[in-house]
Amino acid sequence: MGHILEREQLIHRPLAQVFAFFANAANLEALTPPFLHFHILTPLPIEMSAGTLIDYEIRLLGLGLQWQTLIESFEPDHRFVDVQKRGPYRSWRHEHDFVAVPEGTLVRDRVTYEMPLGIVGEIGRALVVNRTLDKIFDFRRQAMARMWP
């Protein structure tokens, strides 16, 4: 069963500046809450383009999890899409869209994901994953608001 998480945030900065920040994999750590112990394993700097693979690890509930992301598409100053090649989800697709607006840049996220392990995974989603994803995206919103008030 697929699930969708959507978020939107207005950032009062020009589109090119906002896109460049999000497209720099080194900035992922600043946008990820400390409780995940996020660490990029792929040597930096990472050339972002369609086909780029990024390896990283997180720690959740005491479990170390390896994750590999493929940049499926990359359209400078407009959008990029990353998909999980290896990780904790049955599937994960994260669309990042950037739209210039008079006030700055509108950042839209759409995550489509499926849990592993059938009904057990769905119970885990209800008990832990939903709240964890909300915390992750809430942290990111707050981090961006602090960086670019």
Side-chain angles (χ1 to χ4, degrees), residues 92-108:
W92 174 276
R93 185 173 196 271
H94 185 174
E95 301 171 48
H96 308 255
D97 289 297
F98 303 84
V99 179
V101 294
E103 302 86 1
T105 303
L106 189 61
V107 178
R108 292 187 180 129

Side-chain angles (χ1 to χ4, degrees), residues 92-144:
W92 174 276
R93 185 173 196 271
H94 185 174
E95 301 171 48
H96 308 255
D97 289 297
F98 303 84
V99 179
V101 294
E103 302 86 1
T105 303
L106 189 61
V107 178
R108 292 187 180 129
D109 294 284
R110 179 181 171 90
V111 178
T112 307
Y113 67 97
E114 292 180 72
M115 298 299 297
L117 306 174
I119 190 68
V120 173
E122 289 303 316
I123 292 168
R125 184 182 71 83
L127 295 176
V128 177
V129 174
N130 283 346
R131 281 192 304 262
T132 302
L133 289 175
D134 283 341
K135 286 179 186 177
I136 291 167
F137 278 85
D138 289 349
F139 178 89
R140 187 173 106 169
R141 172 183 292 280
Q142 293 163 1
M144 295 305 300

